[in-house]
Amino acid sequence: MNTIPEPASIQLNSSSIVFKWKDGHESVFGHRFLRLRCPCAQCVEEWTGRPLLNPDKVPQDMRALDSIPVGSYAVQFLWSDTHYTGIYTFKSLRAWCPCEVCVAEAESKAS
């Protein structure tokens, strides 16, 4: 069984959101990167998964103002555009990790 580690901490910085995972890995995301991937029903068509959020409507200086844990499996952000309904699972966040190691691993699995 492949378990997804929980974050040891989530830090909201001025330029990024940093997840420090309990297994020692670190994922650094841009605020706008995660806002554009909001999985809520306002941002993604429920049945098809088609994006509904227009990226041109999301400000370049978008920021997460706060984070709220959702059980032991996810986190919810309060965004500076007042959007707050998306629940970001730790599994998704770890899969989106933009570090070189995770990107290379994802590319090798896709091959």
Side-chain angles (χ1 to χ4, degrees):
M1 183 172 150
N2 199 6
T3 60
I4 302 300
E6 293 181 42
S9 68
I10 302 171
Q11 299 170 342
L12 305 179
N13 300 322
S14 61
S15 62
S16 62
I17 301 170
V18 180
F19 286 80
K20 293 185 179 182
W21 302 95
K22 289 183 178 178
D23 68 355
H25 191 73
E26 185 173 281
S27 301
V28 181
F29 298 101
H31 291 267
R32 192 168 185 273
F33 176 91
L34 287 183
R35 174 64 181 92
L36 291 174
R37 283 154 185 79
C38 179
C40 84
Q42 289 179 322
C43 297
V44 178
E45 207 285 322
E46 183 178 1
W47 298 108
T48 65
R50 179 179 60 88
L52 299 174
L53 179 62
N54 180 347
D56 295 334
K57 301 284 184 184
V58 177
Q60 292 296 322
D61 62 351
M62 173 62 50
R63 293 198 52 212
L65 303 175
D66 199 3
S67 66
I68 303 161
V70 177
S72 61
Y73 71 98
V75 64
Q76 188 173 13
F77 295 104
L78 171 58
W79 297 104
S80 57
D81 66 352
T82 69
H83 187 73
Y84 62 88
T85 56
I87 295 174
Y88 295 77
T89 65
F90 298 145
K91 180 178 181 179
S92 293
L93 289 161
R94 189 64 182 254
W96 295 336
C97 181
C99 81
E100 290 180 21
V101 172
C102 290
V103 169
E105 185 176 303
E107 287 173 353
S108 71
K109 285 181 181 177
S111 300

